């Protein structure tokens, strides 16, 4: 009897371990954070749910971490969007890093491999994909960025979908490229059509529609009709599609309005001289907007209620990689990459978006030297 009980106990323990192992695609929030990228969760099997506990800005700041994997970033960004949606923010602006093959910075390589974000490889090959800012290092320009942004946005939509959260069934996502009239501006429209009762109401629609990039030469744009359970995301919108954003946002405005988001807008968070001038309410501001300043576009988005709900950006300061992270309910938190390249160290935070000089001062206050000095042993390792 004791032997049988012991065997039964061991079998139950083994089943419990298998049920919550990373390969099963199910994870708790505590296991989603990995120190070296070896433990990864499936971005397609876990749907974001609104946070139930009320937190202060300080506690949210302390809880923020830089995602170490693609799946972590999908979970973190979709969680922030879900929390913002539960707070009544149905018009959102999101900026994320994009997945890129780890060999992208190798000199002499003229053809870059596609980043692997599928579970079949990403779970067991931690070094195949890197999360990279949308900077000038992408040799293919805006279209290469779109090829990385579109599938990433689809994974976010799957996380946000109520059918994924309540039934475990991913929604059908329609990709409409007709919004990109030239076909080379890297703009797309992704949306679900779930219906009011959670039933899929997409009838006879293809997953990819319109636009020069989808070989739909000269097709006119028809904006989708959205119900309260639907989600719609403009991928890499530029100022030329502000009219479409305004039209869709206005016709979908009600007490049970669907979520409409802008992912990685092509205008920058920081202002140049033309952007600053375009924000003036005078003839010079109008002229600066005509020349391409973003001031008028931002005013129109503000009037529609669009807010930044999740921002993950990056650049280089003192020779090392820097990441800026912010949720709609947090301050800006600054992280620096450690010298091993496998984690990020918090160096400071502030309410307003830190300028380059602010980040440099944070590094100096923490005693972080230049990257070359740390590599040569002239400064302490980070």
């Amino acid at each position: 009897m004791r032997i049988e009980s012991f065997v039964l106990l061991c079998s139950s323990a083994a089943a419990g371990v298998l049920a919550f192992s990373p390969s099963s695609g199910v994870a708790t929030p505590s296991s989603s954070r990995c120190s070296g990228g070896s433990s990864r969760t499936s971005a397609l099997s876990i749907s974001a749910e609104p946070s139930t506990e009320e937190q202060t800005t300080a506690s949210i700041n302390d809880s923020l971490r830089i995602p170490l994997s693609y799946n972590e970033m999908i979970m973190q960004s979709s969680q922030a969007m879900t929390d913002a949606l539960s707070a009544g923010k149905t018009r959102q602006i999101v900026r994320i890093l994009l997945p890129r093959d780890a060999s992208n910075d190798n000199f002499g390589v003229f053809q870059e491999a596609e980043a692997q974000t599928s579970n079949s490889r990403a779970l067991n090959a931690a070094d195949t994909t890197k999360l990279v800012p949308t900077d000038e290092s992408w040799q293919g320009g805006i279209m290469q960025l779109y090829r990385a942004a579109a599938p990433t946005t689809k994974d976010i939509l799957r996380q946000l979908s109520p059918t994924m959260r309540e039934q475990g069934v991913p929604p059908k996502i329609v990709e409409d490229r007709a919004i990109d009239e030239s076909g080379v501006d890297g703009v797309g429209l992704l949306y679900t059509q779930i219906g009011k009762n959670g039933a899929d109401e997409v009838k006879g629609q293809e997953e990819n529609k319109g636009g020069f990039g989808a070989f739909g030469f000269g097709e006119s744009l028809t904006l989708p009709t959205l119900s309260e359970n639907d989600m719609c995301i403009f991928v890499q919108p530029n100022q030329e599609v502000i009219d479409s954003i305004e039209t869709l946002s206005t016709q979908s405005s009600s007490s049970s309005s669907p979520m409409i988001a802008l992912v990685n807008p092509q205008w920058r968070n920081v202002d140049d001289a033309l952007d600053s001038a375009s924000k003036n309410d005078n003839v010079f501001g109008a002229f600066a907007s005509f020349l391409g300043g973003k001031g008028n576009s931002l005013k129109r988005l503000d009037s529609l209620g669009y807010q930044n709900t999740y921002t993950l950006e990056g650049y280089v300061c003192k020779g090392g990689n820097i990441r800026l992270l912010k949720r709609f309910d947090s301050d800006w938190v600054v992280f620096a990459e450690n010298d091993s390249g496998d984690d990020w160290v918090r160096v400071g935070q502030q309410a307003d978006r830190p300028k380059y000089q602010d980040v440099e001062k944070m590094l100096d206050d923490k005693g972080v030297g230049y990257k070359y000095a740390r590599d040569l042993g002239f400064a302490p390792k980070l």
Side-chain angles (χ1 to χ4, degrees), residues 32-347:
S32 64
R33 180 65 179 170
C34 52
S35 59
S38 59
S39 174
R40 301 196 173 214
T41 56
S42 169
L44 305 181
S45 61
I46 306 173
S47 183
E49 297 183 0
S51 299
T52 56
E53 297 182 0
E54 292 188 5
Q55 295 179 309
T56 63
T57 300
S59 63
I60 294 175
N61 292 343
D62 294 339
S63 67
L64 291 181
R65 300 289 185 274
I66 297 299
L68 299 181
S69 69
Y70 172 81
N71 290 344
E72 272 193 77
M73 184 187 69
I74 295 296
M75 294 170 62
Q76 188 180 85
S77 58
S78 60
Q79 184 64 64
M81 296 174 71
T82 301
D83 292 343
L85 188 60
S86 65
K89 303 180 187 301
T90 60
R91 302 293 181 261
Q92 305 186 18
I93 300 177
V94 176
R95 293 181 182 271
I96 56 175
L97 305 181
L98 294 179
R100 197 171 184 186
D101 188 81
S103 62
N104 72 86
D105 53 356
N106 292 345
F107 292 104
V109 177
F110 297 99
Q111 184 174 359
E112 182 178 329
E114 293 290 338
Q116 298 295 328
T117 58
S118 61
N119 299 328
S120 59
R121 289 190 55 183
L123 287 175
N124 299 318
D127 56 349
T128 59
T129 302
K130 297 173 62 177
L131 297 176
V132 182
T134 56
D135 53 22
E136 293 78 8
S137 65
W138 297 74
Q139 299 93 331
I142 195 64
M143 290 306 296
Q144 184 186 10
L145 288 170
Y146 183 82
R147 288 195 297 271
T152 303
T153 305
K154 289 181 181 179
D155 281 344
I156 292 176
L157 272 175
R158 293 186 184 99
Q159 290 284 89
L160 294 172
S161 171
T163 61
M164 189 71 177
R165 180 172 62 250
E166 298 168 4
Q167 306 169 18
V169 178
K172 180 176 181 180
I173 299 174
V174 180
E175 179 180 5
D176 195 341
R177 293 276 287 117
I179 196 170
D180 188 354
E181 295 182 357
S182 69
V184 294
D185 285 337
V187 182
L189 179 63
L190 299 175
Y191 59 91
T192 63
Q193 289 198 328
I194 300 172
K196 293 183 179 180
N197 298 322
D200 191 351
E201 294 185 352
V202 179
K203 299 179 180 179
Q205 298 192 47
E206 298 293 333
E207 187 172 350
N208 299 287
K209 300 169 55 182
F212 178 82
F215 306 104
F217 298 97
E219 289 193 21
S220 60
L221 172 65
T222 302
L223 294 175
T225 301
L226 304 174
S227 68
E228 58 183 300
N229 289 323
D230 291 327
M231 309 278 181
C232 178
I233 295 182
F234 288 83
V235 184
Q236 298 187 157
N238 54 22
Q239 296 189 61
E240 282 71 24
V241 301
I242 294 295
D243 289 340
S244 298
I245 295 173
E246 190 171 39
T247 300
L248 185 59
S249 302
T250 303
Q251 73 182 24
S252 302
S253 60
S254 65
S255 59
S256 57
S257 178
M259 188 207 73
I260 302 177
L262 316 180
V263 169
N264 284 5
Q266 294 188 30
W267 55 84
R268 299 188 303 168
N269 256 343
V270 295
D271 295 342
D272 55 20
L274 202 60
D275 293 329
S276 299
S278 66
K279 294 181 178 180
N280 297 323
D281 294 326
N282 51 36
V283 64
F284 297 105
F287 184 65
S289 296
F290 174 76
L291 294 178
K294 65 185 180 185
N296 183 55
S297 297
L298 294 184
K299 290 178 184 177
R300 295 170 66 182
L301 292 177
D302 288 341
S303 66
L304 295 170
Y306 279 89
Q307 302 180 42
N308 292 288
T309 56
Y310 179 83
T311 303
L312 176 57
E313 298 178 325
Y315 52 79
V316 174
C317 184
K318 301 186 72 171
N321 289 324
I322 297 296
R323 295 290 183 264
L324 306 180
L325 179 59
K326 186 186 188 310
R327 282 172 44 114
F328 68 97
D329 50 3
S330 76
D331 294 327
W332 289 88
V333 185
V334 183
F335 296 83
E337 187 179 31
N338 66 2
D339 291 323
S340 300
D342 57 1
D343 208 347
W344 298 83
V345 179
R346 184 188 300 256
V347 295

